[in-house]
Amino acid sequence: MARIAVIGAGAGAMAAAARLAVAGHRVTVYERSATYGGSVGRFERDGFAFDTGPGLLHLPAVWRDLFLKTGKEPLESRVGLVQVDPASRHLFADGTAATLPNATRAGVVSALEEALSAGAGERWGAFLVRARDAWDRSRRPLLEEPLWPNWEVLGRNPYPSLRQRRLLRTRQAATVREIGRWELADPRLAALLDGCVLSYGLDPRHAPASAALLPYMEQTFGSWYVEGGLRELARAVYERCLARRVEFVFGAEVTRVVEKDGRAAGVELADGSFAEAAHVVAGAPVPGLLDGRPWQDGDVPPQRPATGRFTVLAALRGARSGSAPHRTVIHSPDAHAEASAVFGGRTAERPTVTVLRPDDPRCRPDDAHEAVTLTATVAAHDAMGGEGVDWTDPALRESCARTLIDAAAAAVPEISERLLWHEILTPAETGAVPAPALAGGGCRWLHQGNATRLPGLYLAGGWSHPGGGLPHAGMSGALVAGLIVEGPDFRGSQ
């Protein structure tokens, strides 16, 4: 039994802590804030409750596995898990709309065929078949195994792009944007793909074609809502950690990972105290916590700049319509201009806006009110005038909030008249959002591996392999636990 220090109480870090505790280790989590959950937060006011991070869950199997492996209990015994159906409604710039069912490829194909044009659903269905191939080729090395030592082989594109003859040459889509233009051949289908990829913090203009596995993942495994909000999932994981005797120390900022005899030996806290540990798991970006980088320069190519989320939490008078979809996506009329702004450190004039309207009594004071969340992917926060936006600017915050509210009127009739109050959250408060790892593109979309150059120091969470998103965070926790318990030859669960 070893003493293990975990930095941060985010989802990936807690997933690692619970698994390590079950394996017999003494685990202490040091969290600088006053609570657990990391980006999976919650805001409450006047009987309204909102998620301040992700609002829907994909790949719940990751968290089901955690609860089975750490207590032989189903996830559903701890949280209410509801399939969202329809999965989403999409409003396109030309005025057309498509409502997509949950977790059925045939249903999605039929809905797109009916809503858009003859052949549109068929083209999307053929695209999903190719996306499935990318998923099958990527799943183990990108999600279920630690980053390979010969990670360079992941630079090859796993998406089987169509070969298209054009005069004297043959072209194949290498990026998401090229899939939309060359294979989907419909600006609305391209917007559907672009919007999904952008929501994960990826630039559709440059993200490798392997990002096709993201809409495949959502439309195959479905979208799920946790009753009471995603914060309830964080609570359940926290309570599972407590049940396995994981100790939490809140208000404890780790300032340094201490190295002794060539390996991690514990952590130093802001109050000057030292906590000894045989292993250290960092659930947050660690450069600056160590005297030197935890990985060697050149181990993995540098990541693209991260994005963030602009969120408006809207408290509305009036009941939610029973026919209202849980999620509506209002697509930007100019996806190229939107991506140029987001990844160029500017605000988009007309961003893609996602509207979440959960029919959940736990999130509203009574049935005569409604809690609605509006989000858009935006440039990261930078108050220093560098590559980013100063999201502390009050005028900019209110202007962007009004842009989202005006756009949401297409999904929530009379939203401005029904608005009681709204709260604004920006990357200045919620931080940057790491993107999921992807194969292809010369390895530029990979993340640092879970094991580092310093023996005994491991990385978990969205800033390490396999990248951002709640499912990926849970997977990173499982990988770190496997590396510590079984050693460097661990290759994931079979």
Side-chain angles (χ1 to χ4, degrees):
M1 180 175 69
R3 185 182 296 275
I4 298 176
V6 177
I7 304 172
M14 289 197 296
R19 291 176 182 271
L20 289 167
V22 166
H25 297 290
R26 296 173 60 189
V27 184
T28 302
V29 177
Y30 298 93
E31 167 58 49
R32 66 179 179 178
S33 73
T35 189
Y36 55 86
S39 64
V40 188
R42 186 177 181 87
F43 178 86
E44 299 183 22
R45 174 180 163 188
D46 299 341
F48 292 90
F50 306 85
D51 283 319
T52 59
L56 292 174
L57 181 65
H58 305 293
L59 278 183
V62 173
W63 298 100
R64 288 186 175 124
D65 182 71
L66 173 73
F67 278 81
L68 288 174
K69 297 289 177 59
T70 60
K72 298 181 180 180
E73 290 181 311
L75 171 62
E76 286 82 352
S77 70
R78 295 298 175 180
V79 297
L81 202 57
V82 180
Q83 247 190 331
V84 176
D85 203 3
S88 56
R89 184 167 186 256
H90 295 264
L91 305 179
F92 300 104
D94 67 351
T96 57
T99 300
L100 306 184
N102 199 12
T104 162
R105 184 171 71 88
V108 169
V109 167
S110 177
L112 290 174
E113 193 78 7
E114 180 179 352
L116 302 187
S117 61
E122 182 179 345
R123 286 195 300 276
W124 185 262
F127 158 71
L128 287 181
V129 171
R130 296 189 294 276
R132 180 189 62 197
D133 289 343
W135 168 265
D136 290 341
R137 296 170 182 174
S138 302
R139 180 173 56 85
R140 286 204 63 82
L142 278 177
L143 301 178
E144 298 177 355
E145 297 183 358
L147 190 64
W148 293 349
N150 59 333
W151 52 263
E152 294 89 347
V153 301
L154 297 175
R156 294 193 292 266
N157 180 22
Y159 177 81
S161 303
L162 293 178
R163 292 181 178 271
Q164 298 180 326
R165 284 195 168 277
R166 287 294 183 271
L167 298 176
L168 300 179
R169 65 186 180 91
T170 299
R171 69 183 186 184
Q172 288 180 275
T175 66
V176 167
R177 182 59 52 84
E178 289 172 349
I179 291 176
R181 290 178 175 175
W182 300 349
E183 296 183 1
L184 299 177
D186 184 310
R188 295 162 298 185
L189 294 180
L192 191 63
L193 176 58
D194 281 4
C196 177
V197 170
L198 181 64
S199 71
Y200 284 90
L202 294 161
D203 186 344
R205 301 170 303 167
H206 305 296
S210 60
L213 61 82
L214 298 173
Y216 169 81
M217 178 183 72
E218 290 192 10
Q219 295 184 8
T220 300
F221 304 110
S223 299
W224 301 76
Y225 175 71
V226 177
E227 293 177 343
L230 260 291
R231 178 67 178 178
E232 288 299 295
L233 176 62
R235 175 196 55 76
V237 176
Y238 170 68
E239 291 178 352
R240 174 51 49 89
C241 287
L242 294 179
R244 298 300 168 260
R245 299 186 179 180
V246 175
E247 181 183 357
F248 285 80
V249 184
F250 294 106
E253 181 177 1
V254 174
T255 57
R256 189 166 68 96
V257 175
V258 177
E259 181 179 351
K260 182 179 180 181
D261 298 328
R263 63 172 292 113
V267 296
E268 185 177 290
L269 304 177
D271 62 6
S273 62
F274 168 69
E276 183 179 2
H279 303 280
V280 176
V281 178
V286 299
L289 296 181
L290 190 71
D291 293 331
R293 293 173 61 85
W295 48 80
Q296 295 175 349
D297 289 335
D299 277 356
V300 175
Q303 284 288 296
R304 296 277 178 175
T307 61
R309 291 192 184 96
F310 189 97
T311 303
V312 178
L313 311 176
L316 305 185
R317 63 170 64 87
R320 175 188 184 276
S321 168
S323 61
H326 188 117
R327 175 173 60 169
T328 300
V329 181
I330 303 155
H331 292 274
S332 170
D334 191 339
H336 182 83
E338 179 182 23
S340 297
V342 170
F343 295 94
R346 307 186 308 279
T347 58
E349 184 176 344
R350 297 182 66 183
T352 296
V353 178
T354 297
V355 180
L356 296 181
R357 305 178 69 183
D359 187 12
D360 189 343
R362 298 170 66 177
C363 296
R364 58 181 183 249
D366 52 52
D367 289 343
H369 295 85
E370 182 181 6
V372 176
T373 302
L374 317 176
T375 60
T377 299
V378 295
H381 172 61
D382 183 1
M384 305 303 293
E387 294 183 1
V389 174
D390 181 4
W391 288 114
T392 63
D393 182 339
L396 177 63
R397 292 163 67 95
E398 287 296 339
S399 173
C400 289
R402 177 46 56 185
T403 296
L404 267 64
I405 292 170
D406 290 345
V412 187
E414 301 178 341
I415 183 173
S416 293
E417 292 76 9
R418 297 175 57 196
L419 189 64
L420 292 171
W421 51 261
H422 68 276
E423 289 284 339
I424 299 172
L425 295 174
T426 76
E429 294 83 39
T430 57
V433 177
L438 296 171
C443 297
R444 287 175 292 170
W445 281 265
L446 296 178
H447 290 258
Q448 301 296 334
N450 306 108
T452 72
R453 68 159 178 83
L454 181 66
L457 174 61
Y458 299 87
L459 309 180
W463 298 101
S464 61
H465 180 75
L470 265 179
H472 297 71
M475 293 171 190
S476 77
L479 293 175
V480 166
L483 287 167
I484 292 175
V485 173
E486 299 187 26
D489 293 332
F490 171 71
R491 281 295 169 263
S493 58
Q494 300 297 322

